[in-house]
Amino acid sequence: MTTLHEYMIKEGHAPEWPYPVKYGEEKKIVSDVLVIGGGIAGCHAAVSAAKHGAKVAVIDRGNAKRSGMGGVGVDHWHGACTNPCSKVTPEDYTLATIECTRGYTNGLVRYIIASEGWDTLLDSEKMGMRIRDVDDEFKGAAFRDDETKLMFAYDYKSRHMLKVWGHNHKPSLYKEMKRLGVDTHNRIVATSLLTEKGKQGARVIGATGVNTRTGEFYIFRAKATIIATGSAGRLWQFAPQLTASSSMSDLNNVGMGHVIGWNAGAEFVQMEESGPGGFGLGYAPYSMGNPGNTFFGTPIVDNNGKEIPWFDVFGQEIKTQEDRFVPSPGQPFVLGIGIGVNNYIDKYFLNDIATDIPERILKGELVLPLYADMTLMPEVERRVIYGMMVGNEGKTRIPIYDTMTKAGFNPDKDMLQVPINPLETYRFNNYWIGVPFPAARGMGGGGFLVDWDLRTTLEGLYAAGGSPIFNSGCHGESATTGRYSGRKAAAYARTATDSIADRKQIEGEKARIYAPLKHRGSGIGWMEINAAIARIMQDYCGKYKNETTLKLGLRLFKELRETEGSETYVANPHELGRLIECYSLISLGEMIMHASLVRKASSKYLDFYRLDYPELDPPSWQKFLPMKLKGNKVISRELPFDYHLKPPYASTYQENYKVHCVI
Amino acid sequence: MKPSIKTIRACIKDNKEIIMPQEKAYAIPNVPTPTAPVIFNPEICNGCNHCLEICPVDVFIPNPVKRKPPIILHPEECWYCGCCVNDCPLQGAITFNWALQQRGYWKRKDTGERFQV
């Protein structure tokens, strides 16, 4: 008897809510540093702040031991440029990402992660995550340095990307947090930031939250607050029963940090770059049979066993398996996939399997289905991919490696079937995503505008992680920015004064979030609201936009809030949490629509198309457009791409980093 | 020894056969899709609820009967991360269960035989 229906049939009624219900009861927590979001970034921030002497509290929507996009594990790490084997400098790496994105990226964060990503890995190693082949399992392999026992990903020559055994990254961080006395509060949905005297734009002095098991109201007071929340996987699509398995974003990801920061008056950039992202609808669990990412280099054959060729960026066929992992002549080094860079230039792009698979299938050259044929790989490559990497990467360890192995799949003699997708999806080697780059980007582009301290534009508020900080990257980048902002927030907290939360602000927040309790049993639930939000985003904030459709979208969100959105009901604290998240999604949708209205120009590099301003990338619009809320009004301004190298900052990355990385 | 997925499925089928002859019918909502992202083995699971604490999205609630497997309350919220299976202290108490329409296929290269999870 483990499903709800089995229970109801046996017992004749639904189970009672298993946790004590305490709607509205207040719990107060005081710390020096408050971290909102206990994912990879948040846990590293907490550990780092605690190590620098701060009393730290963490709010997590799930359980910080396993929550977040990186909670399940990780198999490789980008930008570890200072590892002893790397041939890429932090400056090279930063400039490469800027060149690829044509400036639409976060240069200072790229430099920070390239400068201390390796140190973050060493910290993680001390906490218990394996980063070396200590058992000499892969001794002598081309992807291994036999002296340091480090193993490399994608580019075996330049060696700035490392293979890691990260299945226990979160549990080991969690253990360290416990050891350092971090006060972790699980199952809390953050609902707002508290500001001095309750004023928008003032210093941030904590946050409010609701326990999604008990309904209790939490008041967190802190001298410094770090936003380390996730992306928003259910903003454009809401069909988790079909798409959750191929998603890299669970239902807790609603851009909550973005929204509470927005309401508090912080500035944001590049929100217009947001898009629906991938949506595998077939039998396509994440990373099942493809030649990219974790499976990079894996041979793909058609139904008749015909292997699909690989090419370098200059169109030359790559003859050997080994050469897939080496940059071509003329390429200084390559950048990996999944670092928030959505347009690569040839100079830094990976070797790739043929991108004209759709045409080859239509011509009859290839016959569906395709298969990942690891038997064609050298034994050591097969073992490292379908073993070490698939066995450590998030969402492949149990779902693919363990499940397929137990079912009898053997990579030495079997071929994994590639999902049978619409043909267009085979242009991008991560077939499970369902759409090619740059459309696969999701919410990777926009976030808080930050300075060299990773402070937002509000005093007392810092940001960490690939989602909250605009265009900043992936798993390793989240860990490294967390570690950096943790120590900066701890340093600020040492000098900051205590502040009292504004009672009016708290009462206003309580009235807002508990309103659905008044409509018990009537009105509509969170799932229907979520579906409506997704539909509005699909229709009014799709690939092609114009002023009229965007304004109509904003009007529909306003109406949704005022009509059905104000007549919602919840059956228990879990549903209350999900509904509060839906309100956050509405605000996030509005933020993206406002940002899309502010940029009156189309851009190939942002994958942003305004039908009323069709000219692509006019030079006068090649800049950031920070925006914030003032009252209910959206205020925007202009900022050059290299703002972080202009006064008050020094003119070089090295100088700025040297001054700001210390505390 | 850990029972295979087949054994567990057979066991559930047997239970259903016991339930089937009931005369009483209930007016209850449709069964969500997917029904069960994991399958508990009641012979092994001791109801420690570790999976329930680990799950990032609260798919489970504790069983009102102590020492019994949790109840899968929100199967449609599961994102198939597999942490509950990975972190379970009792081998074989939980088995990962792909949604029916999303199970992986493979082909044995020398015989051409096709398999499914």
Side-chain angles (χ1 to χ4, degrees):
Chain A
M1 190 185 70
T2 55
T3 68
L4 178 65
H5 280 69
E6 283 174 281
Y7 180 92
M8 293 209 291
I9 286 166
K10 187 163 177 243
E11 301 292 327
H13 58 83
E16 256 186 65
W17 189 244
Y19 309 104
V21 177
K22 302 176 184 177
Y23 289 128
E25 282 183 32
E26 289 184 7
K27 193 165 179 167
K28 292 174 183 165
I29 291 106
V30 179
S31 61
D32 297 324
V33 173
L34 170 68
V35 181
I36 302 177
I40 292 293
C43 289
H44 269 282
V47 165
S48 160
K51 276 186 178 167
H52 286 89
K55 188 181 171 214
V56 182
V58 172
I59 303 176
D60 192 72
R61 179 65 180 87
N63 182 321
K65 191 172 178 187
R66 277 299 191 188
S67 58
M69 290 164 91
V72 208
V74 66
D75 66 334
H76 64 279
W77 191 284
H78 297 277
C81 297
T82 58
N83 87 72
C85 306
S86 168
K87 298 192 174 68
V88 180
T89 67
E91 188 113 13
D92 292 339
Y93 186 89
T94 305
L95 296 177
T97 58
I98 292 173
E99 225 180 305
C100 285
T101 57
R102 274 71 167 187
Y104 292 103
T105 189
N106 198 323
L108 71 90
V109 165
R110 301 285 177 186
Y111 192 82
I112 288 171
I113 70 99
S115 299
E116 55 182 79
W118 168 242
D119 300 321
T120 310
L121 258 183
L122 290 177
D123 274 6
S124 301
E125 186 182 31
K126 273 187 216 142
M127 290 179 220
M129 180 173 117
R130 212 170 117 196
I131 67 165
R132 298 167 211 266
D133 179 27
V134 285
D135 298 331
D136 294 334
E137 242 184 294
F138 301 98
K139 203 172 174 182
F143 52 76
R144 184 183 192 264
D145 172 61
D146 286 341
E147 204 184 318
T148 59
K149 305 192 179 197
L150 292 173
M151 306 217 302
F152 315 107
Y154 295 114
D155 177 346
Y156 298 169
K157 209 171 147 195
S158 317
R159 304 184 159 192
H160 59 295
M161 297 172 279
L162 300 175
K163 292 180 161 89
V164 294
W165 288 254
H167 76 273
N168 67 342
H169 191 189
K170 280 295 297 289
S172 57
L173 271 165
Y174 196 68
K175 206 169 140 197
E176 182 71 353
M177 279 160 59
K178 272 189 134 175
R179 190 184 74 79
L180 293 166
V182 171
D183 183 20
T184 305
H185 297 268
N186 291 325
R187 310 289 166 190
I188 310 289
V189 58
T191 68
S192 73
L193 288 174
L194 293 169
T195 49
E196 225 155 27
K197 294 185 180 157
K199 284 192 179 150
Q200 192 185 50
R203 181 186 155 206
V204 173
I205 54 167
T208 59
V210 170
N211 187 309
T212 58
R213 285 185 174 176
T214 65
E216 225 172 341
F217 189 77
Y218 280 60
I219 300 164
F220 294 91
R221 269 181 44 224
K223 290 176 183 164
T225 301
I226 301 172
I227 301 269
T229 46
S231 174
R234 46 192 253 226
L235 181 59
W236 262 275
Q237 301 137 23
F238 184 63
Q241 71 277 23
L242 298 174
T243 59
S245 69
S246 56
S247 164
M248 282 306 283
S249 187
D250 68 42
L251 285 187
N252 296 343
N253 284 300
V254 291
M256 185 60 84
H258 289 68
V259 170
I260 60 178
W262 173 249
N263 290 334
E267 268 191 312
F268 285 79
V269 269
Q270 226 161 292
M271 292 303 292
E272 65 274 26
E273 198 192 0
S274 314
F279 47 98
L281 286 170
Y283 82 92
Y286 166 68
S287 219
M288 175 74 83
N290 64 84
N293 193 24
T294 295
F295 284 86
F296 182 78
T298 297
I300 302 293
V301 301
D302 81 342
N303 190 47
N304 300 323
K306 184 176 179 183
E307 190 181 352
I308 302 173
W310 280 63
F311 295 92
D312 69 14
V313 285
F314 307 112
Q316 299 298 310
E317 190 173 338
I318 299 169
K319 298 286 182 199
T320 69
Q321 171 82 30
E322 288 77 11
D323 285 346
R324 291 176 188 176
F325 304 97
V326 182
S328 307
Q331 285 189 302
F333 59 93
V334 295
L335 293 169
I337 292 283
I339 56 169
V341 170
N342 300 318
N343 288 282
Y344 291 81
I345 55 170
D346 288 352
K347 198 170 155 191
Y348 300 111
F349 196 46
L350 290 168
N351 297 319
D352 202 0
I353 196 161
T355 52
D356 62 347
I357 292 177
E359 287 76 19
R360 288 172 190 248
I361 293 170
L362 287 169
K363 273 191 259 168
E365 279 175 33
L366 296 172
V367 177
L368 286 173
L370 308 178
Y371 292 90
D373 185 355
M374 287 175 273
T375 69
L376 299 174
M377 309 173 93
E379 188 271 340
V380 72
E381 279 291 348
R382 177 164 67 241
R383 192 153 45 90
V384 80
I385 289 179
Y386 201 85
M388 186 258 168
M389 295 183 80
V390 180
N392 278 281
E393 167 68 343
K395 293 195 77 176
T396 57
R397 180 181 177 83
I398 294 293
I400 309 272
Y401 185 67
D402 187 66
T403 304
M404 297 293 281
T405 305
K406 281 179 179 157
F409 173 78
N410 178 350
D412 296 337
K413 53 181 181 183
D414 296 326
M415 305 183 295
L416 263 183
Q417 187 180 306
V418 173
I420 302 174
N421 286 342
L423 299 189
E424 276 304 300
T425 64
Y426 297 127
R427 291 201 197 285
F428 173 46
N429 60 29
N430 280 235
Y431 303 145
W432 57 273
I433 290 184
V435 287
F437 265 144
R441 71 194 181 278
M443 282 274 300
F448 285 91
L449 177 64
V450 289
D451 66 14
W452 274 99
D453 290 335
L454 297 188
R455 206 199 86 170
T456 70
T457 50
L458 297 183
E459 189 185 346
L461 187 67
Y462 294 76
S467 294
I469 305 178
F470 85 92
N471 203 277
S472 57
C474 186
H475 189 109
E477 290 87 331
S478 292
T480 308
T481 51
R483 181 177 176 268
Y484 188 99
S485 69
R487 67 175 187 266
K488 300 306 289 190
Y492 168 78
R494 274 204 293 275
T495 61
T497 51
D498 270 327
S499 208
I500 297 162
D502 183 71
R503 195 64 220 173
K504 217 171 127 197
Q505 193 176 10
I506 290 169
E507 292 302 335
E509 188 57 9
K510 283 179 86 171
R512 180 181 79 90
I513 60 173
Y514 291 118
L517 296 175
K518 285 187 234 152
H519 316 121
R520 286 191 128 179
S522 66
I524 56 173
W526 73 272
M527 291 183 110
E528 196 171 349
I529 290 278
N530 205 143
I533 293 166
R535 189 60 207 240
I536 291 171
M537 289 304 286
Q538 286 164 25
D539 288 356
Y540 298 92
C541 202
K543 182 171 177 179
Y544 297 101
K545 308 166 175 78
N546 71 25
E547 186 150 334
T548 311
T549 56
L550 287 165
K551 284 187 173 166
L552 275 172
L554 285 168
R555 189 179 125 181
L556 283 171
F557 274 140
K558 187 171 175 277
E559 286 168 1
L560 183 63
R561 271 184 206 281
E562 289 167 359
T563 55
E564 289 88 351
S566 65
E567 295 291 326
T568 48
Y569 85 94
V570 296
N572 54 51
H574 176 86
E575 291 190 9
L576 179 61
R578 291 279 177 249
L579 184 63
I580 291 168
E581 289 169 340
C582 287
Y583 293 129
S584 163
L585 287 172
I586 294 177
S587 300
L588 190 69
E590 288 170 341
M591 281 174 80
I592 295 168
M593 287 180 184
H594 280 301
S596 303
L597 282 167
V598 167
R599 185 169 290 281
K600 296 188 193 310
S602 294
S603 170
K604 182 188 158 201
Y605 305 119
L606 291 172
D607 193 39
F608 176 75
Y609 301 98
R610 283 283 303 254
L611 294 167
D612 39 357
Y613 298 97
E615 189 190 345
L616 281 176
D617 294 292
S620 60
W621 283 93
Q622 292 180 25
K623 59 196 169 194
F624 295 133
L625 302 166
M627 55 165 207
K628 66 174 179 182
L629 264 190
K630 199 169 180 189
N632 288 324
K633 224 177 146 195
V634 178
I635 310 276
S636 66
R637 65 182 173 116
E638 298 176 358
L639 195 68
F641 288 149
D642 60 349
Y643 75 94
H644 51 275
L645 299 178
K646 292 211 155 118
Y649 307 116
S651 60
T652 67
Y653 284 102
Q654 212 174 3
E655 278 174 276
N656 285 309
Y657 178 70
K658 212 172 141 190
V659 172
H660 289 272
C661 75
V662 289
I663 57 166
Chain B
M1 207 185 98
K2 190 191 166 253
S4 69
I5 295 178
K6 264 191 185 162
T7 323
I8 295 166
R9 286 201 189 120
C11 161
I12 284 173
K13 202 179 153 205
D14 288 347
N15 279 340
K16 275 195 181 148
E17 276 162 11
I18 299 163
I19 294 163
M20 288 274 288
Q22 279 188 160
E23 281 171 23
K24 203 169 176 182
Y26 293 90
I28 52 177
N30 282 327
V31 176
T33 302
T35 326
V38 294
I39 295 169
F40 287 98
N41 183 337
E43 305 288 309
I44 301 176
C45 174
N46 65 1
C48 77
N49 290 334
H50 187 68
C51 51
L52 182 153
E53 289 309 325
I54 287 302
C55 176
V57 286
D58 265 343
V59 164
F60 314 108
I61 55 168
N63 196 311
V65 183
K66 278 195 176 161
R67 287 183 290 281
K68 292 285 178 201
I71 291 170
I72 304 168
L73 183 66
H74 302 125
E76 69 276 47
E77 292 191 34
C78 177
W79 80 307
Y80 294 85
C81 68
C83 286
C84 54
V85 177
N86 190 75
D87 294 0
C88 175
L90 289 174
Q91 258 285 325
I94 320 179
T95 305
F96 189 86
N97 186 39
W98 281 117
L100 198 58
Q101 81 278 17
Q102 289 177 324
R103 290 183 182 154
Y105 300 83
W106 73 93
K107 185 160 101 168
R108 187 137 298 168
K109 201 173 174 184
D110 56 359
T111 63
E113 214 179 333
R114 288 168 203 269
F115 301 88
Q116 191 191 4
V117 170

